[in-house]
Amino acid sequence: MQPTRSANDSKEFRNNYTAAEMVNALYALESGHIGRGVTVGLIDDGVLNVSGELDGRISALSKDFGYVTTGSSTTKREKIGDAQSDHGTVVANILSGAANGAGGVGYAPGAEVAVLRISDWNADTQTETLTHFNEALDYAGANGIKVINSSLTNRASSAWGSAVARYAATGGLVVTAAGNTSADAPTDAPAITDANRRAVLFVGAIDPSTTDYKLASYSARAGTMMDRYVVAVGTHYTLDTSGAMTVFKGTSSATPVVTALVADILSKWPQLSGQQAGDIVLATAKDIGDPGVDPVFGHGLVDFQAALAPVSPTLSNGTAQTPLAASVMAVADAVGTVSLQTALSKVTVLDAYGRDYRGSIANLVVQPQVSDPRRIERRVRQINDRTAIAFGPLSGEFAFAHYRNSVDPRAIDATVTSGSVAYAGRDLAVKLAWNGVDSLQGDTMGLAAFADGVLAYAPQADGSIEVGRRFAGGTLGATFAFGRIGDSSAQAVTLGWTSGTTQIRGSYISERGTLMGMPTGAGALRLGSGARTVMAEAHHSLALAGAWRLEGYGSLGVTQLKLAHGSLVTDATPLVASRFGIQASRPAFGGSISLGVGQPLKIESGAARLTYASGYDLASESLIYDTAQASLAGTRRLQLTGGYTRVGDVSSLRLGVMHDTRDGSTSALAGWSVRW
């Protein structure tokens, strides 16, 4: 046995440890699904409340349908339990016995039991006859009892089948024993018709075991009823009519386990019918025989945890439903997550059976740290072996990576990793580049944030066409940038003016599938389907004393989300974002050193409106919707950088280091290349 796991995992609970463990029964107790508020009809020979097992939970709907015969006199008994109720009493205690230190804990200890006593008693012969099944079924249907436990068989009576059909019309479910006949099908299978099939759930018995699953030798198999058949353990310790502990075995012992699971489901979701709860039991049973529904175990072993947990839950924004399993919100480093996670901490979902669950999905808001690795990877590709060519006004530069694909030292492949081709005329310049370098400021081995605003917003836009024309003492330029990574893409148009060491630019950036370079997620939690940004930026450099040179940049942009159909993000205000950086550099040690500080892209203001289900209205059986404004403002983040570069005719050395003040991390990168 496992160590005690909780207060519910008591000595009394462990009187049926193996039987309970095999069906994950502790999960129901721990989650509070104990049948409270549900009335279970118990068709049997009556119930005697012993040792307080059913205190306060014998329903006022209980009824004795039986008679007592003494000599030539037959009179109505009007007693729901006595010493002759030896079968119904143990069944009721397995179903709903209290956690009171006596016997065993019932599988639905909060459920009420409507005792439907159907036996007649002959005092002269001391014999009992079970004769009032059909009256009890009609009574249960008329009184709105959704589920009935019948740990009895009816010898395939057609009259019983007709009574079940009438009960089926109310949406009710009869959970009935398959029978202790070792037969190939349940005893009452011949009475099942299209009219009553969905209203019957047959229960077979398996032996208690922690190592394998074996149908009890006495249990009837699923056979022709395998689509309406499940199993549970058929051996339980419980209290008999004298209050003594006894062992009760048979399909009669397994049946109340399944009935209790139905009651546990209905206690949490009273909007369901008994038959709908039965469908859940069937669908979530553990397959323990041949794959799929089989003629021995039917659907398999009932599983309380699987039946009470959501089955294929969906998120809804009031207009569309999307699987929760396919939903995640990914946000860029520039975006704040706290307000989003707070808004999503109390969300209601519906599962495939219309059951409502309320809880937190805040953990589905994630902030993958992919922007830094992407920038570093880009820089690594740029610092590989380089080749430059020039022919008049035409020039080009290309970086190569070399790969060895076998132990043969000659088996080396070269791949172009970045490059550019340029034309420079007297007044006109044109440049085409892919995976090009930052066009505003030399970064520190890829560790500093991009100074180029387009790359900061859309790092996947790694291809560009630039056109510049000298005009009135400066250069007027236009750039079209483009690129894609996976399913995302970005395009940007930039107009700029350069005069001396000052550059001013304005850009329009369109992203598909990303927000500020980060994929927006999937399903109902997508943070839009992309974005449109208008941005202004400036760059300036100046010489300082001691051969130092100072460069600075900054930008301010306004972004509008492109809304995604079906997402809980149903609107958004404009997002205002800023970024800046300063870098000082000078010649030293035969190369150049640099020191810098920068703030990567950060949202300063703006919010997303989330529309989500916050509750469930039982009267209308519909979700209740709410909205929340979630701020997307990010957290201030500064990066301190330092670097050293030395480029010679034969070799090049580059070193870089960056310290992030927000998370305290430090990163370093080194690159060395040799030409021959």
Side-chain angles (χ1 to χ4, degrees):
M1 288 189 184
Q2 303 179 56
T4 300
R5 292 157 289 184
S6 68
N8 289 311
D9 189 13
S10 62
K11 180 180 178 181
E12 183 184 9
F13 175 82
R14 291 192 171 212
N15 283 336
N16 290 300
Y17 178 83
T18 301
E21 286 297 292
M22 291 180 74
V23 297
N24 291 317
L26 185 61
Y27 177 86
L29 299 179
E30 300 285 55
S31 57
H33 299 84
I34 59 174
R36 186 176 290 113
V38 177
T39 299
V40 177
L42 197 148
I43 293 180
D44 218 298
D45 62 1
V47 172
L48 187 64
N49 182 17
V50 293
S51 300
E53 286 287 81
L54 300 172
D55 280 359
R57 288 178 295 107
I58 299 291
S59 171
L61 292 174
S62 298
K63 183 176 176 65
D64 184 3
F65 296 90
Y67 293 82
V68 175
T69 298
T70 303
S72 60
S73 173
T74 299
T75 59
K76 199 80 169 64
R77 182 175 45 210
E78 302 292 355
K79 195 173 186 178
I80 63 171
D82 52 30
Q84 284 77 48
S85 304
D86 54 349
H87 189 271
T89 297
V90 290
V91 169
N93 289 337
I94 295 170
L95 169 69
S96 192
N100 61 359
V105 179
Y107 288 85
E112 283 196 351
V113 177
V115 181
L116 306 178
R117 191 175 188 183
I118 63 168
S119 60
D120 291 331
W121 180 253
N122 189 308
D124 299 328
T125 62
Q126 296 289 294
T127 56
E128 182 180 67
T129 307
L130 303 173
T131 55
H132 302 283
F133 285 98
N134 303 342
E135 296 171 63
L137 285 167
D138 289 340
Y139 175 84
N143 284 277
I145 296 174
K146 291 185 176 183
V147 59
I148 291 173
N149 185 97
S150 177
S151 289
L152 306 168
T153 58
N154 301 274
R155 297 178 179 80
S157 162
S158 60
W160 176 80
S162 297
V164 174
R166 293 191 296 274
Y167 181 63
T170 71
L173 178 73
V174 179
V175 183
T176 187
N180 301 330
T181 62
S182 304
D184 290 334
T187 300
D188 292 323
I192 302 304
T193 66
D194 290 344
N196 63 22
R197 193 178 194 92
R198 193 183 174 206
V200 177
L201 195 54
F202 288 104
V203 182
I206 61 172
D207 293 326
S209 172
T210 58
T211 58
D212 59 6
Y213 302 106
K214 183 179 178 181
L215 196 72
S217 59
Y218 54 79
S219 178
R221 291 176 285 281
T224 56
M225 291 292 104
M226 61 184 178
D227 63 315
R228 303 298 305 173
Y229 182 104
V230 291
V231 297
V233 175
T235 302
H236 288 91
Y237 288 90
T238 187
L239 299 184
D240 62 17
T241 54
S242 69
M245 184 75 84
T246 187
V247 178
F248 182 50
K249 296 179 67 173
T251 56
S252 291
S253 182
T255 300
V257 177
V258 179
T259 306
L261 177 53
V262 173
D264 289 346
I265 293 171
L266 292 174
S267 69
K268 176 63 174 69
W269 299 284
Q271 69 268 32
L272 300 179
S273 68
Q275 291 172 26
Q276 289 172 324
D279 291 343
I280 295 169
V281 172
L282 289 169
T284 57
K286 183 177 183 180
D287 191 358
I288 60 173
D290 292 339
V293 180
D294 68 81
V296 176
F297 299 101
H299 280 264
L301 178 63
V302 295
D303 187 329
F304 279 66
Q305 182 169 351
L308 293 168
V311 177
S312 302
T314 59
L315 286 166
S316 175
N317 64 1
T319 61
Q321 290 74 42
T322 307
L324 177 62
S327 299
V328 65
M329 181 181 292
V331 298
D333 195 65
V335 180
T337 62
V338 173
S339 188
L340 288 167
Q341 292 172 328
T342 300
L344 295 173
S345 63
K346 295 180 180 179
V347 173
T348 298
V349 300
L350 287 185
D351 80 346
Y353 294 95
R355 296 183 293 177
D356 57 298
Y357 293 81
R358 191 166 190 254
S360 174
I361 56 172
N363 63 318
L364 296 179
V365 179
V366 297
Q367 198 165 48
Q369 298 301 308
V370 300
S371 57
D372 288 344
R374 183 179 297 166
R375 188 175 65 251
I376 293 171
E377 177 188 0
R378 180 188 179 102
R379 185 57 172 150
V380 169
R381 293 202 304 262
Q382 294 164 356
I383 66 173
N384 286 311
D385 294 345
R386 306 186 72 83
T387 297
I389 60 173
F391 183 75
L394 296 174
S395 64
E397 186 176 39
F398 307 92
F400 296 87
H402 295 84
Y403 303 94
R404 175 172 290 174
N405 298 315
S406 74
V407 295
D408 185 348
R410 297 169 298 177
I412 298 176
D413 294 334
T415 302
V416 178
T417 58
S418 66
S420 64
V421 177
Y423 167 81
R426 197 176 87 176
D427 295 320
L428 180 68
V430 179
K431 181 178 180 181
L432 286 73
W434 66 96
N435 193 37
V437 297
D438 193 323
S439 63
L440 281 183
Q441 175 177 289
D443 63 14
T444 306
M445 284 296 294
L447 295 175
F450 286 126
D452 187 313
V454 170
L455 293 178
Y457 275 89
Q460 67 266 52
D462 57 359
S464 64
I465 301 174
E466 304 175 34
V467 179
R469 185 173 182 85
R470 294 184 181 88
F471 178 76
T475 300
L476 183 64
T479 302
F480 175 65
F482 53 90
R484 64 182 304 122
I485 296 176
D487 295 329
S488 69
S489 62
Q491 299 82 36
V493 176
T494 300
L495 296 177
W497 172 257
T498 303
S499 178
T501 59
T502 300
Q503 187 176 78
I504 299 173
R505 304 200 302 187
S507 300
Y508 171 78
I509 306 165
S510 177
E511 299 176 75
R512 183 178 66 84
T514 60
L515 170 62
M516 299 179 178
M518 175 65 67
T520 58
L525 292 177
R526 285 172 294 170
L527 191 56
S529 61
R532 301 180 183 89
T533 298
V534 177
M535 176 194 62
E537 61 183 322
H539 175 266
H540 182 69
S541 65
L542 64 143
L544 301 176
W548 284 96
R549 186 164 192 84
L550 188 68
E551 298 177 81
Y553 69 87
S555 74
L556 193 67
V558 179
T559 299
Q560 187 65 54
L561 282 181
K562 300 175 183 177
L563 300 178
H565 175 71
S567 173
L568 301 191
V569 180
T570 53
D571 201 1
T573 63
L575 309 178
V576 178
S578 69
R579 37 185 286 284
F580 66 84
I582 300 173
Q583 181 172 287
S585 60
R586 63 158 294 164
F589 309 110
S592 175
I593 62 171
S594 62
L595 299 171
V597 59
Q599 175 203 283
L601 189 63
K602 171 192 176 294
I603 294 179
E604 301 290 350
S605 66
R609 185 176 71 189
L610 302 176
T611 302
Y612 57 93
S614 59
Y616 188 83
D617 180 55
L618 280 175
S620 62
E621 296 188 10
S622 61
L623 290 168
I624 300 168
Y625 290 93
D626 201 353
T627 61
Q629 288 289 113
S631 171
L632 300 183
T635 304
R636 191 76 59 193
R637 176 188 185 190
L638 293 178
Q639 294 176 333
L640 308 178
T641 60
Y644 172 73
T645 302
R646 185 177 67 190
V647 179
D649 294 335
V650 177
S651 66
S652 298
L653 175 65
R654 293 177 173 85
L655 304 172
V657 64
M658 185 270 287
H659 177 74
D660 193 310
T661 61
R662 186 175 66 183
D663 59 19
S665 64
T666 300
S667 305
L669 184 66
W672 178 61
S673 61
V674 178
R675 300 177 181 86
W676 66 85

